[in-house]
Amino acid sequence: LAVFYPYPVGTLAVPAAIAAVVLVAFTALAIREFPRRPYLATGWLWYLVTLLPVIGLVQVGAQERADRYTYLPSIGILLALVWGVAEAAAKWSRARIAIGAAVCGACFVLTWLQIGVWRDSVSLYRHAIAATSGNYVARFNLALVLEARGESAEAAAQLRDTVSERPLYAPAHAELGQLEAKLGRPELGLSELETAIRLNPDLADAHIGLGTVLGSLGRIDDAARELSAGVRLQPNNADAHFNLGNALAQEGKLGEAANEFAAAARLKPDDAEARFNLGIALARLGRLDEAIAQLSAAVQLRPGFTEARQALDDAVTLKRGKS
């Protein structure tokens, strides 16, 4: 069992033909045995009818199938199986008890093993990768968890496997690009991020990541363009507004930069860096009262923020000099 089963790539003609033969054979057997064993037809038809809505005639999501889709249909299979075993062991009451006990014991063991798989996200996704093939979603999610835990090198390795298994999966290219840049390989990062945007021009994370990497390389105009696209696609992303503000400030567009820092501070009120940068931009624009308010807020949010405290003192001194 796996948390996600990827939809297979390529033709499914042979598996579909085999499945059709099996379906016809089981249906014919159930009909033939109906007079003597009606439970076979009942169980089999229960299985077919309840499975029909979720077999993918209309594909929903990226999964080929899901364990949850089999909960109700399995009742039909179990009905036929239990009645069949009961009939076969009708003459041996002790055997029936032994079989029932063995099945319960097996279910207990399997459940115990499956609970272990769900210990944490890492164990869950690693198991899904081992239990399936080409599971790009499990690899991608595993990489995100590993990156959050600070295991960047292994996260990057999982992302490389992800894009190898599913080259058209734009989010993996975007995440790999940002991680490559973080690991000191900005050129590789740029390549992956550009690939992500080519695959999905509306992927906000790719534009934001590309803009951030370009900014770190000193390509400010290009960075501002990509970050602007990211903000347009994801207007509630405080970090995107903050990074765009930095790029605009480096271009000398202080009014626009102040607007972006203000948006970042509004979306993330406890961000001392956003308030500090906003205060600096406002001070350079001559809006000292607003600058002092923002710098004061930055110092309150982070009492040890020496740069903000110094900028606040400078702004207060400058205001007194003007008055």
Side-chain angles (χ1 to χ4, degrees):
L1 301 178
V3 69
F4 180 83
Y5 300 93
Y7 200 85
V9 177
T11 178
L12 298 176
V14 173
I18 295 172
V21 171
V22 172
L23 282 170
V24 171
F26 270 86
T27 304
L29 175 64
I31 293 172
R32 192 190 72 179
E33 294 294 317
F34 182 77
R36 291 186 301 166
R37 298 181 178 89
Y39 58 81
L40 289 179
T42 302
W44 182 242
L45 290 175
W46 178 305
Y47 174 75
L48 292 182
V49 172
T50 56
L51 195 63
L52 184 62
V54 292
I55 61 174
L57 292 177
V58 177
Q59 179 65 20
V60 178
Q63 73 279 354
E64 179 189 24
R65 60 190 183 277
D67 295 339
R68 61 187 178 275
Y69 293 163
T70 66
Y71 295 160
L72 289 177
S74 293
I75 294 174
I77 298 296
L78 289 171
L79 188 153
L81 183 62
V82 169
W83 280 69
V85 172
E87 179 184 314
K91 297 179 181 179
W92 302 285
S93 58
R94 292 184 178 181
R96 294 167 67 180
I97 294 173
I99 292 171
V103 170
C104 289
C107 287
F108 176 85
V109 172
L110 291 172
T111 300
W112 182 75
L113 292 173
Q114 190 67 12
I115 289 172
V117 169
W118 289 80
R119 183 174 62 255
D120 54 40
S121 295
V122 171
S123 63
L124 180 66
Y125 294 132
R126 288 195 190 282
H127 173 78
I129 292 167
T132 60
S133 60
N135 202 329
Y136 66 101
V137 171
R139 286 194 184 279
F140 179 70
N141 288 344
L142 174 60
L144 295 182
V145 175
L146 291 171
E147 186 178 359
R149 290 168 55 166
E151 302 175 36
S152 298
E154 188 176 357
Q158 291 294 337
L159 287 169
R160 292 188 198 103
D161 288 341
T162 302
V163 298
S164 176
E165 290 174 347
R166 196 61 61 110
L168 301 182
Y169 190 47
H173 285 285
E175 194 65 31
L176 177 57
Q178 296 177 71
L179 194 52
E180 292 284 17
K182 188 186 298 183
L183 291 170
R185 298 185 285 267
E187 295 303 324
L188 287 176
L190 287 178
S191 175
E192 292 295 336
L193 287 160
E194 288 167 352
T195 298
I197 292 172
R198 186 172 65 253
L199 292 171
N200 184 0
D202 293 330
L203 187 60
D205 287 346
H207 287 285
I208 294 168
L210 180 57
T212 302
V213 175
L214 289 169
S216 69
L217 294 174
R219 296 168 56 180
I220 306 304
D221 291 343
D222 294 333
R225 184 185 65 252
E226 293 298 333
L227 288 166
S228 295
V231 165
R232 185 178 66 254
L233 291 166
Q234 204 172 79
N236 292 326
N237 189 316
D239 293 336
H241 284 285
F242 180 81
N243 290 339
L244 177 56
N246 285 333
L248 292 169
Q250 291 182 66
E251 288 183 316
K253 300 175 181 177
L254 292 177
E256 296 178 46
N259 291 336
E260 296 301 328
F261 291 135
R266 184 177 65 254
L267 292 166
K268 196 186 291 187
D270 59 348
D271 189 340
E273 289 285 349
R275 292 189 179 275
F276 169 68
N277 284 15
L278 176 56
I280 295 295
L282 291 169
R284 290 177 180 174
L285 289 168
R287 296 158 60 180
L288 293 177
D289 289 337
E290 297 172 73
I292 290 170
Q294 293 299 327
L295 293 168
S296 297
V299 170
Q300 289 176 354
L301 288 167
R302 194 194 302 172
F305 198 167
T306 55
E307 293 90 344
R309 190 173 295 277
Q310 182 61 54
L312 175 59
D313 292 341
D314 292 343
V316 170
T317 300
L318 183 60
K319 181 184 178 183
R320 287 174 181 169
K322 287 189 175 183
S323 61

